[in-house]
Amino acid sequence: MTRAIAIDGPAASGKSSVAKVLSQKLNLVMVNSGAMYRAMAWKILQLGIDPNDAAAVIAALPTMDLECGVDTSGKLSTVGFDGQWLSDELRSEQVNNAVSAVAKIPELRTILLKKQAAYLESYDVVMEGRDIGTVVFPETPYKFFFKASEKIRQARREAEGITDSIAERDKQDSNRKTAPLKPADDAIIINTEDYDLDGVVACVIEHLETLGW
Ligand code: CDP
């Protein structure tokens, strides 16, 4: 039986950094579900489609064959199209501005949900995103929700040299009808401002042990 750790939270709340360390320490595949939404947004822009035109995005879905895998380290998820893995292009300002509009579309989410669930058929995973505890793996007992003030999160992105209007994305992600950003009822909430990276990792591991991991 494979197991899943779900980590949800708003932009720049520390999910990816913590999930990467956990994947090493606990020998899991770290699945960045946001990269899947970013890859779809990137492709929509490549196709010259307006990400806010939901009908046009839906019409293009059958032609968009997102490939999801695991990198050579065996620890990190990968996304791509036509055998080309995507990485830096997924963090561009254009993708930052397009991704939440695309992520609102239920038809697109249904496609990605299947790809996310498929990882658990082969691997133990730590998956991070917005709806992992509520929609993707609601049955896992290992659910975390990270939060941090908007000021801190915006500063983290600026320190990375990334232009990202995270407040706008958070608003769209929290207010959408399908799979909005919110903690699962049984998620453990961690304010990542209270700790450094090692501290958050230690806190998560402590909770996992209490939960019988
Ligand atoms: O890295 P950051 O936290 O800024 O964002 P991300 O995890 O790369 O996710 C990018 C966008 O994808 C989010 O703003 C959401 O619109 C969407 N997303 C989602 O809707 N559901 C998920 N499980 C993961 C991401």
Side-chain angles (χ1 to χ4, degrees):
M1 257 266 286
T2 53
R3 297 187 289 180
I5 299 171
I7 304 182
D8 292 301
S13 54
K15 305 178 300 285
S16 295
S17 317
V18 172
K20 265 185 208 145
V21 179
L22 287 175
S23 78
Q24 294 290 340
K25 281 193 187 270
L26 304 177
N27 198 25
L28 312 167
V29 174
M30 185 277 214
V31 183
N32 178 346
S33 68
M36 298 184 191
Y37 289 94
R38 287 174 177 275
M40 295 299 268
W42 176 85
K43 186 71 177 177
I44 287 295
L45 295 171
Q46 290 283 308
L47 293 170
I49 295 168
D50 174 357
N52 292 299
D53 183 346
V57 173
I58 292 167
L61 289 176
T63 70
M64 296 170 64
D65 186 15
L66 178 71
E67 293 156 13
C68 298
V70 175
D71 76 354
T72 49
S73 76
K75 288 283 191 307
L76 298 174
S77 63
T78 52
V79 289
F81 290 97
D82 307 313
Q84 293 280 350
W85 298 130
L86 298 167
S87 63
D88 290 348
E89 47 279 77
L90 299 182
R91 315 292 314 179
S92 72
E93 194 175 345
Q94 289 84 345
V95 171
N96 285 339
N97 290 337
V99 65
S100 289
V102 164
K104 264 184 221 163
I105 301 172
E107 289 83 349
L108 183 144
R109 298 197 71 86
T110 303
I111 293 170
L112 298 195
L113 184 61
K114 287 197 192 116
K115 293 178 187 287
Q116 289 151 8
Y119 276 98
L120 198 60
E121 287 167 20
S122 310
Y123 307 102
D124 288 325
V125 300
V126 51
M127 190 174 293
E128 52 107 353
R130 303 293 187 284
D131 62 339
I132 312 305
T134 51
V135 176
V136 184
F137 298 133
E139 67 291 347
T140 183
Y142 313 112
K143 299 187 184 88
F144 297 88
F145 190 91
F146 287 4
K147 57 180 203 177
S149 73
E150 192 181 302
K151 201 167 150 222
I152 289 271
R153 293 185 294 109
Q154 190 73 55
R156 285 178 184 162
R157 275 297 135 89
E158 277 161 23
E160 290 166 9
I162 292 171
T163 309
D164 189 358
S165 48
I166 61 172
E168 178 53 32
R169 270 201 296 132
D170 289 348
K171 198 166 98 195
Q172 293 198 50
D173 294 344
S174 304
N175 293 329
R176 70 180 174 224
K177 284 210 184 75
T178 310
L181 166 66
K182 65 167 187 205
D185 291 340
D186 57 343
I188 291 158
I189 308 220
I190 298 178
N191 186 341
T192 61
E193 273 178 59
D194 295 344
Y195 312 88
D196 60 10
L197 174 59
D198 288 346
V200 181
V201 170
C203 178
V204 169
I205 289 180
E206 209 174 294
H207 281 292
L208 286 172
E209 283 167 0
T210 309
L211 290 165
W213 178 263

